[in-house]
Amino acid sequence: MRPYVVDLTDEAAQDVSLTGGKSAALAKAEAGGLATLGGVVLTTRFSDAVDEGADVASHPAVREAFDRARGDERDLVARSSSVVEDAAESSMAGQFDSVIGITGFDAFAMAVEKVLASRERAGAADQPIAVLVQPLIEPAYGGIMFGVDPVTGRTDRRVVSVVSGGPEPLVSGEVDGARYLLEPDGTVLEYDANDGPTLERSHLRALATLSEDCKRVFAGPQDNEWAIGKDGQLWLLQSRPVTTEVRGVPRGPVYGPGPVAETFPEPLSELECDMWVPPLREAVREAVLLAGMATEKEVAASDVVVSVGGHVAIDLRLAGEI
């Protein structure tokens, strides 16, 4: 018979139909050696029982989950884990309730009721839901990390958003947080402070490593929620398949204004493009060959100078800009 309560270390916890998307993913992450907070799950069998009329507070599974999570010794977190959450087609992030900072059994029972009731608001009242119970931590930083660039689909980019404290304000859309665009090794390509903190280089490297580890464990790029404790420990809070179309790594020339920006600061008309771009292209082609900046094969593989909406752009590699 399907259990009411399972530990994330139990093999059964990886069954999405029993523990929901969020819990099943964390169980798989833990089995793969990733740093999770651990925890226990009130399974979908329990939510089925509540749907059939069982009282939450008096149900023995609620007391069992509270005791197994050591609720008498520490504060807890109750997170939603619906069977329709964290799927490849749609993450439904932030649409179900989680309750942070639960002290005592009565508050725990109320938190479980709130998580179950959030199915109505999320438009999933007819779907089973599990409740993931974990210890409360007080993070120094929390955030979201995209395993590919969510705008371009580039697999050689990671996008990290971070706030002080836990990631909940980011997930709910209350704040933007600081934003980093990273290479897979954690090298910073872009940084926008917005309303968030600045992370140390070691934190960024650890996040990049976590992204690669999640990709290995789940056999594909993931979007993650994470937290860094005040002791510097990085914790994986959630992992879901990316919903962005994965487009890989772009190949071929990279064009930009580069050294022609001063000569052509404004967009050209169609006639001006016809007049100026072809002779400039031939001049640059000859110049880079004479200077030994590129081989004939490399020059032949590029348009060298192009016009994009009237803006003149040059192959930045041939121009020595990259």
Side-chain angles (χ1 to χ4, degrees):
M1 181 173 291
R2 290 158 66 87
Y4 286 114
V5 182
V6 295
D7 193 280
L8 282 182
T9 57
D10 296 339
E11 185 175 350
Q14 297 185 40
D15 180 357
V16 174
S17 69
L18 181 68
T19 62
K22 186 179 301 179
S23 300
L26 282 178
K28 187 171 183 176
E30 185 155 310
L34 304 186
T36 73
L37 293 171
V40 298
V41 185
L42 278 162
T43 68
T44 55
R45 185 188 175 201
F46 172 73
S47 73
D48 288 342
V50 173
D51 290 343
E52 293 169 2
D55 178 66
V56 170
S58 61
H59 198 289
V62 178
R63 171 56 73 173
E64 180 184 352
F66 181 78
D67 290 343
R68 288 173 65 171
R70 294 163 45 205
D72 282 332
E73 304 172 24
R74 58 190 181 181
D75 289 347
L76 302 175
V77 175
R79 303 184 187 276
S80 66
S81 185
S82 170
V83 296
V84 295
E85 275 186 282
D86 297 349
E89 298 79 15
S90 173
S91 71
M92 298 191 73
Q95 296 188 39
F96 296 87
D97 283 339
S98 294
V99 182
I100 312 298
I102 304 165
T103 304
F105 178 77
D106 291 342
F108 177 68
M110 292 175 62
V112 171
E113 289 182 342
K114 183 176 182 181
V115 172
L116 296 181
S118 69
R119 289 180 293 173
E120 187 76 34
R121 178 172 59 83
D126 59 340
Q127 298 292 335
I129 190 172
V131 181
L132 172 63
V133 185
Q134 295 184 291
L136 175 69
I137 62 169
E138 296 183 6
Y141 309 110
I144 302 168
M145 175 168 57
F146 297 95
V148 300
D149 187 323
V151 176
T152 66
R154 289 182 61 160
T155 55
D156 61 340
R157 298 289 184 265
R158 309 288 179 264
V159 175
V160 171
S161 295
V162 56
V163 293
S164 296
E168 291 78 20
L170 270 176
V171 177
S172 65
E174 296 174 28
V175 297
D176 294 326
R179 177 187 178 277
Y180 289 88
L181 180 66
L182 306 176
E183 291 188 337
D185 64 356
T187 299
V188 178
L189 297 173
E190 295 177 10
Y191 171 63
D192 296 312
N194 299 320
D195 50 9
T198 301
L199 292 179
E200 296 179 8
R201 179 79 176 93
S202 59
H203 293 151
L204 296 172
R205 285 197 299 266
L207 284 166
T209 299
L210 175 62
S211 183
E212 290 302 303
D213 288 343
C214 287
K215 180 180 179 181
R216 169 182 54 80
V217 169
F218 293 98
Q222 298 281 295
D223 293 341
N224 307 121
E225 289 179 32
W226 53 270
I228 297 175
K230 294 180 179 178
D231 59 355
Q233 171 68 49
L234 172 61
W235 299 101
L236 175 65
L237 302 182
Q238 191 168 343
S239 189
R240 62 178 76 93
V242 299
T243 55
T244 301
E245 180 183 354
V246 178
R247 296 189 175 96
V249 180
R251 304 293 182 188
V254 178
Y255 295 94
V260 299
E262 291 187 12
T263 306
F264 301 102
E266 301 294 334
L268 304 180
S269 68
E270 186 174 349
L271 177 60
E272 289 172 324
C273 287
D274 291 340
M275 290 178 58
W276 290 104
V277 172
L280 178 61
R281 179 182 297 124
E282 291 305 316
V284 172
R285 185 173 282 149
E286 291 298 322
V288 297
L289 287 173
L290 288 172
M293 297 171 63
T295 65
E296 289 190 9
K297 183 177 180 181
E298 290 171 332
V299 171
S302 171
D303 289 328
V304 185
V305 177
V306 298
S307 171
V308 182
H311 294 275
V312 179
I314 190 171
D315 185 326
L316 297 177
R317 295 188 188 278
L318 294 184
E321 297 288 306
I322 298 179

